[in-house]
């Protein structure tokens, strides 16, 4: 991701930007390994029951950080389009240095004997991986396309400088909804457990109907932007809780020494599903 941000900053052509995006996406995929390491560390410390709550706190910190970034990015972009990218490159470099300090606790001896075993992807694990790939790709496509729709509608009515501020405000509010969902997740999980997935799935489907309604609405631009923005915020609201619950189910169904591999497979399932959905949408 650090190399990708540098290519975004210094790449002279569109091809460099594409290469930067590929590096960024690969970094996101490899970044899923830290969840596997975190799960193993919690097992090693005998605190596995705290995984969900601590994972939610991690997401909360990330949501607050991205909310803070979205507040300032629009203003920085109006000063210079390169300022947000340069700041992102600096932060990515810092994250790279911190990642070099990560330590993974050793696996249990009985698990070390099974390191050469292949992962058996069957039964509940298949359905969880497929379900995760489906809802994750729909969330990714939904948030990306709703943001593009909002931007397109705003550009019709407003100058670029104003569009940047308005879009940053909408993104900031969506991050606020993400912070709220991460804050409420612990109580939701304590009350409903894995049944939270059903509630979140209903909210996700409702968000798609809101976005579709906003996309096909005729007339004034303000109600249209409000609907699109509401759908976008709802998708961000369900993102982290669904991801955390799915991650925990997947990691609980494999041995500790296989969690790194299954995390990478989870990312591959998601990318393949996202590619198929985007192909169908573009067709």
């Amino acid at each position: 991701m650090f190399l990708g941000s540098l290519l975004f900053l210094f790449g002279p052509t569109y091809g460099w930007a594409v290469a930067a995006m590929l590096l960024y996406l690969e970094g996101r995929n490899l970044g899923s390994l830290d969840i596997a390491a975190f799960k193993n560390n919690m097992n090693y410390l005998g605190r596995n029951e705290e995984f969900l709550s601590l994972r939610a706190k991690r997401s909360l910190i990330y949501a607050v950080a991205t909310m803070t970034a979205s507040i300032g990015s629009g203003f920085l972009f109006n000063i210079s389009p390169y300022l947000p990218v340069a700041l992102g490159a600096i932060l990515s470099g810092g994250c790279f240095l911190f990642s070099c300090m990560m330590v993974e606790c050793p696996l249990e001896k009985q698990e070390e004997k099974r390191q050469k075993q292949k992962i058996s992807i069957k039964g509940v694990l298949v359905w969880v991986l497929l379900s995760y790939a489906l809802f994750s790709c729909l969330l990714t496509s939904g948030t990306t396309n709703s943001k593009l729709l909002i931007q397109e509608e705003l550009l019709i009515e407003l100058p670029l400088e104003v569009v940047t501020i308005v879009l940053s405000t909408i993104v900031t509010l969506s991050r606020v909804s993400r912070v709220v969902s991460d804050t409420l997740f612990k109580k939701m999980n304590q009350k409903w457990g894995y049944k939270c997935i059903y509630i979140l799935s209903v909210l996700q489907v409702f968000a798609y109907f809101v976005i579709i309604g906003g996309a096909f609405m005729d007339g004034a631009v303000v109600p249209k932007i409000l609907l699109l923005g509401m759908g976008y915020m709802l998708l961000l609201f369900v993102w982290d809780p669904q991801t955390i619950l799915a991650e925990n189910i997947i990691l609980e169904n494999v041995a500790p020494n296989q969690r790194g591999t299954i995390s990478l497979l989870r990312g591959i399932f998601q990318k393949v599903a996202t590619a198929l959905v985007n192909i169908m949408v573009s067709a």
Side-chain angles (χ1 to χ4, degrees):
M1 295 177 74
F2 176 54
L3 292 176
S5 62
L6 290 179
L7 284 182
F8 266 125
L9 186 60
F10 298 109
T13 63
Y14 177 74
W16 286 91
V18 173
M21 180 58 70
L22 292 174
L23 285 174
Y24 171 78
L25 292 174
E26 183 60 27
R28 287 285 299 270
N29 192 30
L30 293 175
S32 62
L33 293 174
D34 68 341
I35 300 299
F38 180 49
K39 180 73 172 178
N40 288 342
N41 288 351
M42 297 300 291
N43 281 351
Y44 182 83
L45 296 172
R47 299 171 61 186
N48 190 48
E49 70 282 352
E50 300 178 44
F51 172 77
L52 284 176
S53 61
L54 291 177
R55 175 68 177 86
K57 289 180 181 178
R58 176 185 182 272
S59 295
L60 176 60
I61 294 171
Y62 173 79
V64 172
T66 54
M67 180 183 67
T68 305
S70 62
I71 292 173
S73 60
F75 297 98
L76 292 175
F77 182 86
N78 284 332
I79 298 172
S80 172
Y82 293 100
L83 275 179
V85 182
L87 183 60
I90 294 172
L91 293 176
S92 296
C95 290
F96 171 73
L97 294 176
F98 280 119
S99 67
C100 296
M101 305 176 190
M102 288 180 62
V103 177
E104 183 177 5
C105 295
L107 300 174
E108 300 288 348
K109 292 183 179 180
Q110 61 268 27
E111 299 295 347
E112 292 178 0
K113 297 177 182 178
R114 300 191 292 175
Q115 283 183 355
K116 296 183 179 180
Q117 290 183 357
K118 294 182 179 180
I119 294 178
S120 177
I121 303 180
K122 59 184 180 180
V124 67
L125 191 56
V126 174
W127 291 109
V128 173
L129 284 172
L130 290 175
S131 299
Y132 173 82
L134 179 61
F135 86 73
S136 182
C137 77
L138 290 176
L139 279 173
T140 303
S141 299
T143 52
T144 301
N145 291 318
S146 59
K147 193 191 299 183
L148 288 174
L149 285 170
I150 294 170
Q151 182 176 326
E152 181 181 356
E153 293 296 329
L154 289 173
L155 285 171
I156 295 174
E157 302 288 337
L158 302 170
L160 179 60
E161 293 78 10
V162 179
V163 170
T164 304
I165 299 300
V166 174
L167 194 60
S168 296
T169 303
I170 294 173
V171 172
T172 300
L173 291 175
S174 71
R175 296 303 185 269
V176 172
S177 71
R178 196 170 185 174
V179 169
V180 171
S181 71
D182 287 329
T183 304
L184 295 176
F185 173 73
K186 184 176 181 180
K187 293 182 179 179
M188 292 170 60
N189 184 58
Q190 289 175 344
K191 187 172 183 179
W192 294 301
Y194 286 107
K195 292 180 181 178
C196 290
I197 292 181
Y198 303 128
I199 301 171
L200 295 168
S201 298
V202 171
L203 286 176
Q204 183 177 347
V205 173
F206 177 70
Y208 294 136
F209 279 111
V210 172
I211 292 171
I212 293 171
F216 287 97
M217 176 182 285
D218 295 325
V221 68
V222 174
K224 193 168 189 174
I225 296 302
L226 287 176
L227 279 178
L228 290 172
M230 186 185 302
Y232 179 67
M233 285 186 279
L234 277 174
L235 289 179
L236 268 292
F237 182 86
V238 304
W239 191 307
D240 284 340
Q242 278 191 329
T243 301
I244 293 169
L245 290 170
E247 283 174 350
N248 194 52
I249 294 172
I250 293 170
L251 295 177
E252 285 290 338
N253 280 275
V254 294
N257 61 283
Q258 298 171 337
R259 285 172 178 160
T261 303
I262 202 66
S263 295
L264 293 177
L265 286 176
R266 175 171 60 87
I268 292 172
F269 271 62
Q270 177 191 357
K271 298 297 186 298
V272 171
T274 302
L276 292 175
V277 169
N278 288 334
I279 289 172
M280 289 187 291
V281 170
S282 60

